[in-house]
């Protein structure tokens, strides 16, 4: 069999690409954008000041040496290109014509920058919570949603991806498309506390949580949770600190889910209403994430490994911008309307007696004079205040 000769390149640098320094979008637009803060915010999804802070944190990892053959791409251009990809979801081919960089070069820059964002900023914007951090998170949930002893809202989001080759149905989810899962614990400021990224789309949220490091540490009592404390104004026994989740997760002493929807009395409906008011924060955090970083509005045309890097970077940038770019108006979280995976997907079977007892404790508190809200009965009955 005759071996084929290697394909010869027609150009060392394509004539169009060779005009990058004169006509590339970075060189023609970047400095003008910096003098127009509103346009810069729309282009990069962050303010000029926040961009500069981010660039200072990443500069050493984005700086490469010039050679006799060509000048290296500047850290500013690398970061701007990556942010534009995350903010729009434009294909690498589209960015090729905008920035006049090779498609493979753009792919390498985006993946390297996303990985660097995760490595450099994770400890700063998403540190491992301490006991004091959990207490602050619980206080935030009590002030905003009136759910005491709550240390986070838990849920999973399916991120659409291109079907990986030879993967069968591993990535095919119950929504009938291919995905990997972002499992997240969120506080009342819509910030991510702990995330697990990259599980197969065919895997149920509960199973992902059980096998994640977060779930394993929770079961082993290694999350540095504070000791149980009494609910505000209550003389009953102390209640543990809990995570609120939907019906797709197993009930346990530290994970609360709603009562089943059949034969509900007012007491159980009030508990479900109060739990939903706290759980909505994770739904809204996913909505804010997708609305700001619109790469999630369409399927990620890359391998699951690179898609994981993109998701990690967006999670970090979400927290980073919420710390440095304070929203001008308070965000009102809508009442959750999404449905969750059914109970048949719960790998742990029936809830244990300890989890049931904790849920009953909260349910009794929410109808007591100390824990009741003046509007909760009207809300569950669908009447106006």
């Amino acid at each position: 069999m005759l071996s084929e000769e290697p394909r010869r390149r027609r150009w060392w640098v394509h004539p169009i690409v060779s005009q990058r320094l004169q006509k590339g979008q970075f060189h023609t637009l970047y400095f003008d954008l910096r003098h127009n803060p509103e346009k810069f915010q729309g282009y990069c999804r962050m303010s000029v000041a926040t961009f500069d802070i981010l660039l200072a944190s990443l500069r050493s990892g984005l700086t490469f040496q010039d050679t006799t053959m060509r000048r290296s791409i500047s850290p500013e251009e690398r970061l701007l290109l990556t942010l534009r990809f995350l903010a729009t979801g434009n294909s690498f081919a589209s960015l090729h014509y905008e920035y006049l960089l090779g498609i493979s070069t753009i792919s390498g820059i985006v993946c390297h920058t996303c990985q660097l964002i995760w490595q450099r900023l994770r400890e700063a914007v998403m540190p491992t919570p301490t006991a004091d951090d959990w207490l602050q998170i619980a206080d935030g949930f009590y002030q905003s949603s009136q759910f005491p002893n709550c240390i986070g809202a838990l849920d999973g989001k399916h991120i659409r991806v291109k079907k990986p080759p030879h993967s069968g149905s591993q990535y095919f989810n119950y929504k009938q498309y291919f995905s990997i899962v972002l499992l997240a614990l969120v506080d009342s400021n819509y910030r991510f506390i702990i995330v697990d990224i990259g599980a197969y789309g065919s895997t149920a949220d509960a199973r992902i949580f059980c096998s994640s490091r977060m779930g394993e540490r929770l079961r082993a009592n290694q999350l540095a949770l504070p000791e149980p404390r009494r609910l505000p104004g209550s003389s009953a026994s102390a209640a543990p600190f809990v995570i609120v989740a939907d019906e797709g997760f197993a009930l346990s002493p530290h994970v609360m889910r709603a009562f089943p929807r059949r034969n509900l009395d007012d007491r159980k409906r009030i508990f479900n209403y109060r739990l939903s008011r706290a759980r909505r924060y994770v739904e809204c955090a996913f909505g804010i994430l997708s609305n700001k970083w619109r790469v999630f509005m369409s399927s990620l045309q890359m391998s699951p490994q690179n898609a994981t890097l993109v998701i990690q970077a967006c999670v970090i940038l979400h927290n980073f911008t919420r710390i440095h770019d304070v929203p001008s108006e308070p965000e009102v979280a809508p009442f959750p309307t999404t449905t969750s995976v059914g109970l048949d997907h719960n790998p742990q079977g029936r809830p244990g007696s300890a989890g049931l007892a904790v849920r009953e404790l909260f349910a009794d508190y929410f109808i007591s004079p100390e824990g009741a809200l003046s509007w909760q009965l009207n809300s569950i009955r669908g009447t106006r205040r």
Side-chain angles (χ1 to χ4, degrees), residues 254-305:
H254 290 292
V255 179
M256 291 290 101
R257 72 180 189 193
F259 284 101
R261 300 176 185 177
R262 292 172 294 183
N263 303 321
L264 291 177
D265 55 21
D266 283 349
R267 172 176 168 275
K268 293 180 179 179
R269 293 176 66 191
I270 287 173
F271 174 85
N272 289 358
Y273 168 70
R274 299 286 291 271
L275 182 135
S276 294
R277 294 185 77 246
R279 194 180 64 80
R280 65 185 176 177
Y281 287 94
V282 65
E283 301 281 0
C284 293
F286 288 148
I288 295 169
L289 177 75
S290 298
N291 190 56
K292 179 181 284 287
W293 307 109
R294 300 203 168 200
V295 68
F296 297 128
M297 293 294 188
S298 59
S299 176
L300 296 179
Q301 300 298 307
M302 54 185 64
S303 68
Q305 293 75 23

Side-chain angles (χ1 to χ4, degrees), residues 1-282:
M1 182 177 178
L2 297 177
S3 59
E4 297 182 359
E5 293 184 4
R7 180 182 175 185
R8 298 183 62 182
R9 299 179 63 169
R10 295 178 61 188
W11 297 286
W12 173 249
V13 178
H14 194 281
I16 293 180
V17 176
S18 66
Q19 302 179 68
R20 178 174 67 89
L21 298 180
Q22 293 78 35
K23 297 182 179 180
Q25 194 169 105
F26 172 79
H27 297 276
T28 60
L29 195 60
Y30 174 66
F31 295 101
D32 290 336
L33 285 174
R34 289 187 65 90
H35 289 93
N36 293 271
E38 292 183 2
K39 296 296 185 181
F40 192 95
Q41 177 87 35
Y43 191 89
C44 295
R45 298 296 192 268
M46 62 181 63
S47 66
V48 177
T50 300
F51 178 87
D52 290 340
I53 296 171
L54 178 62
L55 180 63
S57 302
L58 305 177
R59 181 177 291 278
S60 61
L62 296 177
T63 303
F64 292 85
Q65 186 175 2
D66 294 335
T67 67
T68 56
M69 302 297 293
R70 65 180 63 178
R71 290 171 54 185
S72 63
I73 301 170
S74 67
E76 290 84 355
E77 186 169 2
R78 289 173 175 271
L79 182 56
L80 195 76
L81 170 64
T82 302
L83 293 178
R84 191 58 180 166
F85 168 72
L86 299 178
T88 63
N90 288 350
S91 66
F92 293 155
S94 176
L95 293 171
H96 159 68
Y97 292 105
E98 296 173 8
Y99 283 81
L100 301 185
L101 290 166
I103 294 176
S104 60
T105 302
I106 292 174
S107 175
I109 289 173
V110 168
C111 292
H112 172 259
T113 306
C114 287
Q115 185 177 29
L116 193 66
I117 289 171
W118 174 261
Q119 293 173 347
R120 292 284 180 91
L121 299 177
R122 179 181 56 178
E123 291 299 324
V125 303
M126 199 171 61
T128 302
T130 63
D132 290 338
D133 294 331
W134 291 124
L135 289 174
Q136 291 181 6
I137 293 170
D139 291 342
F141 270 103
Y142 184 64
Q143 293 173 8
S144 60
S145 64
Q146 293 76 53
F147 198 108
N149 287 24
C150 177
I151 57 169
L154 178 69
D155 203 0
K157 176 178 176 60
H158 287 271
I159 307 297
R160 191 186 295 263
V161 297
K162 180 181 68 174
K163 181 185 182 298
H166 314 297
S167 62
S169 60
Q170 285 181 321
Y171 292 91
F172 196 69
N173 63 35
Y174 72 99
K175 297 181 179 181
Q176 307 300 304
Y177 60 82
F178 296 93
S179 67
I180 59 178
V181 179
L182 163 61
L183 184 73
L185 186 69
V186 173
D187 67 14
S188 61
N189 292 318
Y190 309 103
R191 297 179 192 169
F192 295 104
I193 307 170
I194 303 174
V195 295
D196 183 270
I197 303 169
Y200 296 137
S202 61
T203 310
D205 289 347
R207 193 176 299 278
I208 296 171
F209 177 66
C210 290
S211 59
S212 68
R213 188 182 177 195
M214 172 172 48
E216 292 174 350
R217 293 183 64 190
L218 182 63
R219 290 193 302 274
N221 197 26
Q222 295 177 350
L223 280 182
L225 297 183
E227 292 296 320
R229 68 180 181 185
R230 290 182 177 178
L231 302 179
S234 173
S235 59
S237 58
F241 287 83
V242 297
I243 294 169
V244 294
D246 62 21
E247 295 91 340
F249 293 87
L251 181 69
S252 73
H254 290 292
V255 179
M256 291 290 101
R257 72 180 189 193
F259 284 101
R261 300 176 185 177
R262 292 172 294 183
N263 303 321
L264 291 177
D265 55 21
D266 283 349
R267 172 176 168 275
K268 293 180 179 179
R269 293 176 66 191
I270 287 173
F271 174 85
N272 289 358
Y273 168 70
R274 299 286 291 271
L275 182 135
S276 294
R277 294 185 77 246
R279 194 180 64 80
R280 65 185 176 177
Y281 287 94
V282 65

Side-chain angles (χ1 to χ4, degrees), residues 331-346:
E331 292 160 338
V332 179
F335 195 83
T337 58
T338 57
T339 56
S340 59
V341 183
L343 296 178
D344 292 339
H345 294 275
N346 179 4

